[in-house]
Amino acid sequence: MIVLRCDHGEPVGAVCQDCIRQSVAQRGAGAAIRKALKSAPDADPVNHPDHYTVGGIETIDFIEAKLSPEEFAGYCRGNMLKYIARAGHKDDAGQDMRKALWYGERWLRARDASTQEG
């Protein structure tokens, strides 16, 4: 079986810290992402779920680094609507609403960044 590898020797599809750092550097990502690369945050099911911090960077920070501010604002808005719609139907309704608010805050910051760019 042939295994495709990135420039740093990691199997394609695996989380390669060097590839992430290179992408972050190319996109000019902020200090929050650079901090996330250094150490994974403490467990927090709303703000920093354990399953999204594997690999030394939170998934949300990696997604933000790969999207334009306008694209990321749309991503956050969609997730905000998702958590509002599912509140009380899957997990704890309070936790879902806290996640919706969390995405709402990220949406506002991304929207503001988008308007400053344009």
Side-chain angles (χ1 to χ4, degrees), residues 60-90:
I60 188 75
D61 293 326
F62 181 72
I63 291 168
E64 184 176 20
K66 300 302 280 183
L67 299 176
S68 71
E70 184 177 1
E71 292 169 331
F72 186 67
Y75 173 83
C76 290
R77 186 173 181 209
N79 276 300
M80 181 176 59
L81 295 170
K82 172 185 73 173
Y83 282 110
I84 290 169
R86 80 172 216 184
H89 299 287
K90 184 175 178 187

Side-chain angles (χ1 to χ4, degrees), residues 22-87:
Q22 183 178 0
S23 177
V24 167
Q26 289 171 351
R27 301 275 303 182
I33 294 174
R34 287 191 295 276
K35 182 180 177 184
L37 284 170
K38 292 180 183 173
S39 64
D42 295 332
D44 179 340
V46 172
N47 297 301
H48 306 288
D50 286 338
H51 57 281
Y52 288 137
T53 59
V54 175
I57 184 171
E58 280 196 57
T59 305
I60 188 75
D61 293 326
F62 181 72
I63 291 168
E64 184 176 20
K66 300 302 280 183
L67 299 176
S68 71
E70 184 177 1
E71 292 169 331
F72 186 67
Y75 173 83
C76 290
R77 186 173 181 209
N79 276 300
M80 181 176 59
L81 295 170
K82 172 185 73 173
Y83 282 110
I84 290 169
R86 80 172 216 184

